[in-house]
Amino acid sequence: MSVEDKLKVVASSALEYLFSSHAVTTPISSFDLLTRVVASSPPPPGLVPGSGPAPKFRLIDLARFERILERFAESWNHGKITLSREDDREGGMTIMEVRLGSAASEEPVNASPTAVRRKRKRVVDEDDDSAADGAEEEETPSPDKEKEGALWRPRRTMKEVYESLRQSSAKGKLLAEQFRTIVGSFEPICPHITKDECARARREGTSPTSPNKSVTTICDRIHFRPLLRAHTDPSLGHCSYLNTCYSEPTYAQSPSIPPLPSHRQIQYGAQGQGPEKAPCRYLHFEVDWDLNDGHGMAEQRTVPKRRPYRLKLGLGPEGKLSAPLPPQWINCDLRRFDYSVLGKFHVIMADPPWDIHMSLPYGTMTDDEMRAMPIPTLQDEGVLFLWVTGRAMEVGRECLRVWGYTRVDEVVWVKTNQLQRVIRTGRTGHWLNHTKEHMLVGVKTVTDENGQLKFPSWVNRGLDTDVIVSEVRETSRKPDEAYGLIERMCPGGRKIEIFGRKHNTRPGWLTLGNQLGADQIYEEDLRARIQARYPERILNPPPHAFGQGH
């Protein structure tokens, strides 16, 4: 049995599961469907003949996946698939309809090329302005053409634009494969939220005559259960803040929030500050997960081995990859600390406490104090990532100019809630509720002899997009995806984060903040400079912890 035949069996099983469980809907592009197949649960043991494990699809297998889909369009044991491809074999493929069950299999399936609907190219008279809106000729007229309407007959120009935007380059596919998550930190969430709703949807979507006899009660994704307390009124619906609601004990127990005396006992008042504060009566949720749920594949998930793709990427300013130092941090007053002892850095990230003219649960700095920050002393060449929101979007741009930086890009963080939906009630914003934050990207303004801006040669450009979609957590905590973006863009080198908290500390980074606890420094020369400037400071770990002293 060839590899492609085995992949055909894997694809058949995956498609039958995805469509029967309503994990995907049509129409869907072949690449998007391949992405869902790659991200789905591993093939069950014994799916294909032989003693070895079943092969897996990769994102670079799009051409092979489309060939298999075309064979399914001719004949598929689980039902019927209708495809659409634009004009020629090189056009984008779209899965227009999938019918599951024996009833669909018994319907006549046209095995000729008409199973994949194509349109014939039409000669357009450029002098005739009405040609753009004229009817397009079709090789195979469909009796349901009028009923299907715009789904089958979008404007040709719009379809071409859509296909161009949807296509991924070979480099993009290789990068997605190389940097995809291989740890268990990401778990997809069921769109139906609760187990009861998931089970109901699966029962309604499974035909009694379906050949699939192994559909489980619920899917293998993460579900939530509602927290029904004495003061909860389910008729009010979901809380806008969910697990970040000040009324929730989970918020008060966060390790990133300084403990308050009232936190010794679980209370439901706002910010845990006493029962005199009215508790939140809206619905909140907690994770409802058990290994017996769905396919019970949690312990069977294996870490895939990364293949050595030879995609040439920069290795950073040092020109080589080396193990990063453990997390380092300095607890200090950032307005008065002597930054000259820190040395130079290739990457700076800052999340300043901007004065955005709102009541905030932390102290802020004035615009003049921000402009006076000695950021220029930390870099001769490098990249600065600056978080801004509200009125700070303009002040931040001004600070970049004052500090000697040129803004070259901007990252947008779209905030989602516990249920992975875009938050509708942000805690900031004077005019509109903010559901996003911005991270300005600036480079140190260094010009050549012609006055042109010089970019650091060691920066990897064009790897990531400028949008991060991630869940909100405690106040002012930023998404972990931002660090991955920066570390791929600037591998290696010295990195510093200013205005950080304990949850910001990471290997390879030096963090500065006033809520970090006892200092921790591993760089020997940095320890020496700090002790010379501040002899009273106690630096951890002690010298013998990394080979110095006794």
Side-chain angles (χ1 to χ4, degrees), residues 13 94 114 210 250 259 355 411-412 421 447 473 515:
S13 174
T94 302
T114 58
S210 174
T250 54
D355 181 8
V411 177
V412 177
R421 298 174 178 177
T447 58
R473 292 173 288 183
Q515 300 177 14

Side-chain angles (χ1 to χ4, degrees), residues 483-525:
Y483 294 96
L485 181 151
I486 294 172
E487 289 166 358
R488 288 187 293 271
M489 186 176 178
C490 309
R494 298 190 72 209
K495 300 180 176 68
I496 184 172
E497 179 172 2
I498 308 175
F499 303 105
R501 297 183 181 180
K502 199 61 175 287
H503 59 246
N504 298 115
T505 59
R506 290 174 63 87
W509 289 74
L510 171 65
T511 305
L512 267 63
N514 61 359
Q515 300 177 14
L516 294 171
D519 299 345
Q520 178 167 296
I521 299 296
Y522 285 89
E523 290 183 65
E524 299 179 15
D525 54 346

Side-chain angles (χ1 to χ4, degrees), residues 37-56:
V37 170
V38 172
S40 62
S41 301
L47 179 64
V48 297
S51 57
K56 299 178 182 179

Side-chain angles (χ1 to χ4, degrees), residues 7-82:
L7 285 174
K8 182 182 177 183
V9 175
V10 173
S12 179
S13 174
L15 294 181
E16 199 273 341
Y17 167 70
L18 290 173
F19 285 103
S20 65
S21 62
H22 298 277
V24 295
T25 57
T26 55
I28 184 173
S29 67
S30 57
F31 180 75
D32 291 340
L33 183 58
L34 174 61
T35 303
R36 298 304 300 269
V37 170
V38 172
S40 62
S41 301
L47 179 64
V48 297
S51 57
K56 299 178 182 179
F57 280 99
R58 298 173 297 169
L59 294 178
I60 58 176
D61 293 332
L62 181 60
R64 173 179 284 175
F65 184 64
E66 289 184 344
R67 288 198 303 269
I68 294 175
L69 288 178
E70 289 182 341
R71 293 168 66 181
F72 287 162
E74 299 174 1
S75 177
W76 188 37
N77 294 334
H78 296 300
K80 180 179 179 181
I81 294 181
T82 304

